[in-house]
Amino acid sequence: MSAAYPISDSARRMARLAGLSYLAYTLAGFYITFGPIPSLSAVAGDTSLTQTLDTLFRSGFLAETVLYTFVCVSAAAMYAVLSPVSRGLALTAAFCRLIESALGATFILFKYAAFTAAVNPDLTPGFSDEQRASLVDLLRDIYGSGLYVLLIPMAVGGILYFSLFFRARLIPRWLSGWGVFTYAMVGTVSALVLLFPALRDQVMIFFLPGALFEWVAALWLLFAGIKIRNETQTAT
């Protein structure tokens, strides 16, 4: 069945907002992964925590907050762009990305609780040093494992969004197909890590193409935007 998808000037602006949001949260993710943020183990083992170390660690919380905030913004913007193609699938994708953000915010709280317990022993006066260390390890493990949980709704949302882009040809099909493949890979690897935790250290390389894709998609949406081809488009 042939169908043309009406794309307004407002939708084009929302596509650029989605690109800007992708760029913002990938930059935040880059800082979280490669920035000068000390590990929780280093902070917990520092009995005389310096102001610089404390500030650097807290900057990670700020970066994660920015990341999940812009995930929400991108979800809303992508829905506005893709709802003319399939309102139901676009709404489902948006909910998946919002679930990702909600889980991310929850796991940030677990990480902050671990950080607070580590650097403020006065808040847990009834705990021995060993008990406090065990509490920190537990909260840290919840945070670390929880990240793989939120990647699954992220992957579902990404697959749906870029499947709709592929159908509507609003961006090049090679880019849409790359997006579907990327998010399918992220979801598959995350599920494998949840099933087999020992794989965690061996699978990180599979997330690198995803990071590259989000940079390319962000720049494309921000600068090239979306467009309708002259020929009739085929809806599947």
Side-chain angles (χ1 to χ4, degrees):
M1 181 177 65
S2 297
Y5 305 108
I7 300 298
S8 64
D9 289 338
S10 175
R12 290 186 172 88
R13 289 193 294 271
M14 294 302 285
R16 296 188 188 279
L17 176 60
L20 179 63
S21 300
Y22 263 59
L23 188 61
Y25 77 66
T26 51
L27 284 172
F30 185 85
Y31 177 76
I32 293 165
T33 304
F34 301 107
I37 304 171
S39 66
L40 184 58
S41 299
V43 173
D46 189 350
T47 56
S48 57
L49 186 66
T50 64
Q51 181 62 44
T52 299
L53 198 62
D54 180 83
T55 301
L56 286 174
F57 195 85
R58 290 176 183 276
S59 72
F61 291 123
L62 177 60
E64 289 186 273
T65 303
V66 169
L67 188 157
Y68 292 115
T69 298
F70 277 100
V71 167
C72 291
V73 175
S74 71
M78 293 281 267
Y79 171 77
V81 173
L82 293 168
S83 57
V85 184
S86 173
R87 184 177 181 182
L89 290 179
L91 186 61
T92 302
F95 269 115
C96 286
R97 297 308 302 264
L98 292 177
I99 290 171
E100 172 200 347
S101 295
L103 289 172
T106 301
F107 296 134
I108 290 173
L109 294 178
F110 277 108
K111 186 178 181 181
Y112 188 78
F115 170 71
T116 304
V119 301
N120 293 310
D122 293 342
L123 295 177
T124 53
F127 285 55
S128 66
D129 290 342
E130 289 184 357
Q131 290 173 325
R132 189 175 297 108
S134 296
L135 175 63
V136 171
D137 288 341
L138 173 62
L139 295 172
R140 180 176 57 190
D141 188 67
I142 292 173
Y143 170 81
S145 299
L147 292 178
Y148 292 96
V149 175
L150 68 83
L151 288 176
I152 293 177
M154 167 193 172
V156 174
I159 290 170
L160 291 176
Y161 275 145
F162 285 93
S163 294
L164 293 175
F165 272 127
F166 189 88
R167 177 194 299 186
R169 297 176 183 249
L170 300 179
I171 59 176
R173 278 195 157 183
W174 63 263
L175 183 57
S176 302
W178 185 10
V180 172
F181 173 79
T182 293
Y183 286 111
M185 177 67 72
V186 168
T188 300
V189 170
S190 299
L192 287 173
V193 171
L194 291 175
L195 291 172
F196 309 104
L199 294 176
R200 184 182 301 182
D201 295 334
Q202 284 75 41
V203 300
M204 293 305 296
I205 190 172
F206 292 102
F207 291 116
L208 294 179
L212 176 61
F213 165 75
E214 291 198 325
W215 278 95
V216 174
L219 294 174
W220 188 281
L221 290 171
L222 183 58
F223 295 108
I226 57 173
K227 61 182 179 180
I228 293 294
R229 293 176 179 270
N230 292 329
E231 66 268 20
T232 302
Q233 301 164 0
T234 303
T236 56

